[in-house]
Amino acid sequence: MTTAALIEELKTLVEPGKVLTDADSLATYGKDWTKHFAPAPCAIVFPKSTEQVQAIVRWANQHRVALVPSGGRTGLSAAAVAANGEVVVSFDYMNQILEFNEFDRTAVCQPGVITQQLQDFAEDKGLYYPVDFASAGSSQIGGNIGTNAGGIKVIRYGMTRNWVAGLKVVTGTGELLELNKDLIKNATGYDLRQLFIGAEGTLGFVVEATMRLDRAPRNLTAMVLGTPDFDSIMPVLHAFQGKLDLTAFEFFSDRCLDKILDRGDVPAPFETRTPFYALLEFEATTEEVAEAALATFEHCVEQGWVLDGVMSQSEQQLQNLWKLREYISETISHFTPYKNDISVTVSKVPAFLADIDSLVNSNYPDFEVLWYGHIGDGNLHLNILKPDALSKDEFFAKCATVNKWVFEVVQKYNGSISAEHGVGMTKRDYLGYSRSAAEIGYMKAIKAVFDPAGIMNPGKIFPL
Ligand code: 2HG
Ligand code: ZN
């Protein structure tokens, strides 16, 4: 069958107008936020029901057509990029919150529900959906599940995985499975729900997700603390963790602050400039908690770990302090950064960072290197900015060489080459630095069970 005939057949499976093939749509829906690969899908299909998703998957099996799931397209590892003539399956029209259970504190979501839509829904019910990150306004729940998204509250609430009570999935054969049935306790063998979380659409498509909600936090309060060097951040974390239940502990370098202040719309936290900054957050539920925070701050100053600091006194100040950290990724995106999203256990962070830092400084003497991330989770975002004079391809090629050495260090520290952005296409060639050959063998075998025809997001996680 020709591609044109295939697309005509595809059109019969969904509502009129729900298959697009115009150049603009192919370019838009064929990519995510990465800039490494040129989008080249053959069509975009928008199912409106589980039955339509099943029909699309069965059709793809019959004709051996590769399918790429697409959510809010905010991914940073090219897991939702269609660069090889695939059909993109967009969940934009499966975007309803179908049910709310007050007693179980759960919301049943279609995959295209925007993260913020769920956060706002929870707030309306006096509850809280705690997985949060800068792209919450566009990312979708299905995509969050596909990458097991993390973000800025992981230190307290964990990753997306912790909030998925149950899943309905369409496997690579078109079969519908109902996984875990929203139970808290369920000791009946393999938990297939967990396999689909973080699978990047390589096993099947999530068509419904029951998400857990939590009690709303009370009087969230943030502090930004300036430190004289990177080594001071970890004792600061340790000191605050000993006294408070932190809801976040993030960090960024002074170079990141430079970029944020250049925007002109975010105020500096305080006048002093220091090499690094920690941003921490807690629930100031009582006077004692706020006093403990201030006493810990003073202790850190006495120890020489902190040079200056500020504590939010209002919701507006809280928001402004968070902008210093949350706006970094978007603010530097026009520099076409080469991104790393690496992690180690928290105790190994100082030695690990020192090793990586010296590697990066000796190999990228002419490049601007920005450090920020979720240091309380052992997760560092290393962004290398492209100099104007270099072409994108030359720059990425140079970075890829050094990257191997970065990943050797990650491997030495038993770390992860992708803490929260997923593997997709940008990290697939490096999977062996985090997973053993035997483990990868089992992973591929699992894929073959759920997707025997190899049509589900091929070339993601593992090379083609
Ligand atoms: C963040 O923590 C996001 O801001 C993006 O995970 C990280 O842009 C990045 O490298
Ligand atoms: Zn992050």
Side-chain angles (χ1 to χ4, degrees):
M1 241 189 194
T2 63
T3 305
L6 279 171
I7 290 172
E8 283 314 306
E9 200 175 283
L10 177 64
K11 285 181 182 168
T12 66
L13 308 178
V14 289
E15 289 181 13
K18 293 290 175 273
V19 175
L20 299 179
T21 52
D22 62 288
D24 269 3
S25 302
L26 297 182
T28 305
Y29 284 91
K31 65 171 193 293
D32 61 7
W33 278 359
T34 55
K35 296 179 178 161
H36 300 236
F37 307 93
C42 72
I44 321 298
V45 61
F46 298 88
K48 287 189 96 172
S49 67
T50 296
E51 293 71 26
Q52 288 180 7
V53 175
Q54 287 182 281
I56 293 165
V57 173
R58 289 192 182 120
W59 166 85
N61 267 277
Q62 191 186 345
H63 300 291
R64 293 293 191 264
V65 175
L67 301 176
V68 174
S70 173
R73 303 185 304 281
T74 57
L76 294 169
S77 70
V81 171
N84 292 304
E86 303 95 327
V87 168
V88 171
V89 182
S90 165
F91 290 94
D92 279 4
Y93 292 92
M94 290 177 71
N95 60 356
Q96 301 300 309
I97 297 178
L98 302 173
E99 258 176 68
F100 169 64
N101 189 311
E102 195 184 346
F103 205 77
D104 292 331
R105 294 213 290 212
T106 53
V108 178
C109 298
Q110 289 189 306
V113 166
I114 308 278
T115 312
Q116 198 174 342
Q117 191 186 337
L118 179 59
Q119 290 170 341
D120 293 346
F121 178 88
E123 200 180 324
D124 282 350
K125 305 284 180 196
L127 292 169
Y128 185 59
Y129 180 64
V131 179
D132 196 17
F133 32 75
S135 59
S138 2
S139 69
Q140 298 179 0
I141 293 297
N144 295 352
I145 292 171
T147 48
N148 185 25
I152 54 178
K153 303 282 169 124
V154 171
I155 195 169
R156 159 73 80 85
Y157 297 101
M159 315 255 301
T160 300
R161 186 181 296 290
N162 294 14
W163 300 91
V164 179
L167 285 182
K168 283 190 190 152
V169 300
V170 171
T171 70
T173 64
E175 197 164 3
L176 180 66
L177 301 180
E178 203 177 329
L179 306 176
N180 197 54
K181 304 191 174 83
D182 311 344
L183 298 164
I184 293 176
K185 300 192 78 172
N186 182 9
T188 53
Y190 309 133
D191 188 347
L192 302 182
R193 162 191 55 161
Q194 297 298 349
L195 271 183
F196 277 79
I197 303 171
E200 301 183 9
T202 59
L203 305 179
F205 294 147
V206 171
V207 288
E208 234 176 78
T210 305
M211 306 306 290
R212 290 194 194 290
L213 306 175
D214 203 27
R215 73 158 177 82
R218 287 183 284 261
N219 196 23
L220 283 175
T221 301
M223 278 179 150
V224 170
L225 309 173
T227 71
D229 44 39
F230 185 80
D231 283 347
S232 299
I233 295 180
M234 297 318 272
V236 172
L237 169 65
H238 199 62
F240 275 92
Q241 263 183 328
K243 299 287 176 198
L244 303 172
D245 285 332
L246 296 176
T247 51
F249 193 95
E250 303 275 313
F251 92 113
F252 50 94
S253 65
D254 195 44
R255 281 195 177 166
C256 299
L257 181 61
D258 261 339
K259 301 281 183 249
I260 292 288
L261 297 181
D262 281 351
R263 295 167 57 109
D265 61 347
V266 183
F270 35 74
E271 263 180 37
T272 322
R273 295 294 290 264
T274 60
F276 288 94
Y277 304 87
L279 186 162
L280 59 92
E281 189 195 62
F282 55 95
E283 292 176 87
T285 40
T286 61
E287 272 300 305
E288 288 78 64
V289 176
E291 276 163 22
L294 286 173
T296 311
F297 166 68
E298 276 159 25
H299 171 70
C300 290
V301 172
E302 278 159 24
Q303 296 296 318
W305 301 327
V306 167
L307 300 176
D308 205 345
V310 63
M311 184 159 99
S312 65
Q313 304 295 330
S314 66
E315 177 65 26
Q316 184 59 51
Q317 278 178 4
L318 174 76
Q319 302 300 339
N320 282 344
L321 293 181
W322 266 115
K323 285 176 188 169
L324 296 165
R325 167 64 188 86
E326 284 223 275
Y327 282 7
I328 299 172
S329 186
E330 179 207 315
T331 306
I332 62 171
S333 71
H334 68 276
F335 291 100
T336 320
Y338 189 88
K339 288 181 177 297
N340 261 308
D341 165 39
I342 49 189
S343 68
V344 291
T345 54
V346 177
S347 58
K348 290 182 186 146
V349 166
F352 174 70
L353 192 109
D355 273 15
I356 301 265
D357 199 33
S358 72
L359 187 74
V360 164
N361 286 335
S362 53
N363 287 287
Y364 294 129
D366 315 326
F367 294 171
E368 204 176 352
V369 176
L370 299 188
W371 286 103
Y372 56 102
H374 319 282
I375 194 81
D377 313 322
N379 178 187
L380 310 168
H381 293 309
L382 167 64
N383 276 249
I384 298 143
L385 307 190
K386 187 180 87 55
D388 282 343
L390 272 190
S391 77
K392 191 183 86 179
D393 289 345
E394 274 174 304
F395 172 65
F396 283 163
K398 264 194 137 162
C399 291
T401 319
V402 180
N403 217 34
K404 289 216 169 96
W405 302 323
V406 169
F407 287 155
E408 278 168 19
V409 179
V410 170
Q411 189 171 35
K412 181 176 123 193
Y413 284 89
N414 258 328
S416 175
I417 58 150
S418 181
E420 58 170 3
H421 295 166
V423 182
M425 290 201 275
T426 60
K427 300 292 184 285
R428 65 185 177 186
D429 295 330
Y430 308 105
L431 191 60
Y433 288 95
S434 275
R435 302 296 202 108
S436 70
E439 221 182 337
I440 294 171
Y442 280 108
M443 288 163 77
K444 287 184 172 164
I446 290 169
K447 174 164 172 66
V449 168
F450 286 98
D451 175 30
I455 54 150
M456 301 304 292
N457 214 6
K460 313 297 164 44
I461 302 182
F462 323 104
L464 273 173

